[in-house]
Every structure is written in C-alpha cells, then in structure tokens.
Amino acid sequence: MINVLYEDNHVLCVEKPVNVPSAPDESKDPDLLSMCREYIREKYNKPGNVYVGLVHRLDRPVGGVMVFAKTSKAASRLSDSVRTHALKKEYLAVIDANIKTDRGTLRDYLRKDSKTNTVHVSDEAHGKYSELDYEVLERRNGKTLVRVYLKTGRSHQIRVQFSSRGWPLVFDQRYNPHAEKGQIALYGARLEFPHPTLKTPVIIEHDPPHTSVWNLFEVLK
C-alpha cells in the first residue's frame, strides 16, 4: 500500500519508500511507478492500461516525496516545471562530519560512470554543472543535520557534492569507504511546484522516518 500525500484529477503525490526503485529497472523489483498505476486501477476500477507519468526520480536507497502525473497534459507541464526549475526540491540529510559554516552553496561539474553506477567530480568539459544550497539545522555528536535546496537534479548529486568535501552522508557506503552499515541518511522532505492546470502553488512535505540517526536531532522531534 502506497502512502498518498495529495491527489486530484491531475497529480498524485506519494511517499517513496526506501530501497524501492522510482520506476522499473534492471532489478525487476517492485517499483513505485507501477505501484501508483495499480493504486489508481484499484481505486477507480479502471480496466486496461492506466496512465501515470514519471516526472522525476529519487535514488533507490532514498525515501521521500514524489509527484506523478495522472494525465499526459499534466506530465508535459510538470516536466516543463522540472526543466525550468519551477519544481523545487528540498532534502534533509545527516552529514557524518561537523560542518562549521551555517549555510553555503556547492558548485561542481559531475560525471557519471555508467559501468560502476558512480558519480565523480570532473571538469567543465566532461561533467554536468551541478549546484545546491545547504542550511545547517542542528549539530549533534559530531554529525550535522542539513536542509538541502537542490538547484540541479543530477544523479547522486547531493551525496557526491558533500562527500567530495569531506562531508559524507551517514551510512552512504558508496561514497564513504568508512561508513557504517545502515540506511543512507537522505530524505526528500519537500516538493513545491505550480499545479499543471490551476497554476497555483502545490506544496507537499513529509518527515523522515523515526530511526536512530534522524532521532538524534531535536528539530525533528
């Protein structure tokens, strides 16, 4: 059963569970896009193929808020919002380091290695421009809780931009060889976008799961 956060005739906003692919992939594991189609098919008793448009993605190990389109018109307009950065994404992350600056902007060129499914900081000639802003919310026990305002949507962007500065995410074993085993401390906490037909702002927020690493911080309690 999916956790529906908002729904109307045009959009469906849900919480993506951790370790569930956003859409079908080579693993053939159950994916959120297919779950949304099945949810609509059952709720509205729709025969045949059910249209649900994928607008954006979250990395498989990352949970959080996602929006799907229920019509092709909504999919087109939401995709335009992604391209023009009118769809704004905010994340919460726990950094396995003490970030001393209260806020900042990270800018890099990132290159993806498809063979290893890893991303690396590169140069302008070989990488894609990547930018995010961050704000420190709380520091505790050598760890830092940050809110991340994503300006570009590159694969593994948040994980790589922080880890390349010596600020790896807690439990991110891919980009921190010294990470302990656990669920990566990254969560898609907020989406804001113009409604595809009404043009009014839609804001969807959800808190990260109540696990040990998130429960460290008073601001999340």
Side-chain angles (χ1 to χ4, degrees), residues 65-156:
V65 180
M66 287 187 65
V67 57
F68 293 88
K70 293 175 68 175
T71 66
S72 57
K73 178 186 289 187
S76 176
R77 292 179 178 177
L78 287 170
S79 295
D80 285 342
S81 295
V82 172
R83 282 191 292 270
T84 61
H85 306 296
L87 188 148
K88 300 173 183 177
K89 307 174 188 177
E90 295 180 17
Y91 294 75
L92 292 173
V94 182
I95 307 301
D96 200 5
N98 185 12
I99 299 179
K100 295 181 180 180
T101 53
D102 288 341
R103 55 181 50 83
T105 300
L106 307 185
R107 300 181 181 92
D108 294 291
Y109 290 92
L110 301 182
R111 174 182 57 82
K112 184 172 184 178
D113 184 339
S114 298
K115 292 181 180 179
T116 61
N117 193 27
T118 56
V119 176
H120 307 275
V121 175
S122 185
D123 54 30
E124 185 174 357
H126 301 93
K128 293 183 178 179
Y129 180 74
S130 306
E131 181 178 345
L132 61 81
D133 294 333
Y134 72 86
E135 174 188 9
V136 171
L137 301 181
E138 191 176 340
R139 301 175 180 91
R140 188 174 294 272
N141 298 344
K143 295 176 172 56
T144 307
L145 174 67
V146 296
R147 182 174 288 273
V148 179
Y149 306 89
L150 207 57
K151 299 296 185 67
T152 54
R154 310 303 182 197
S155 181
H156 298 187

Side-chain angles (χ1 to χ4, degrees), residues 37-50:
R37 287 192 178 119
E38 188 60 28
Y39 160 79
I40 291 175
R41 179 181 291 111
E42 291 183 0
K43 180 176 181 179
Y44 300 102
N45 194 25
K46 287 195 170 187
N49 293 328
V50 172

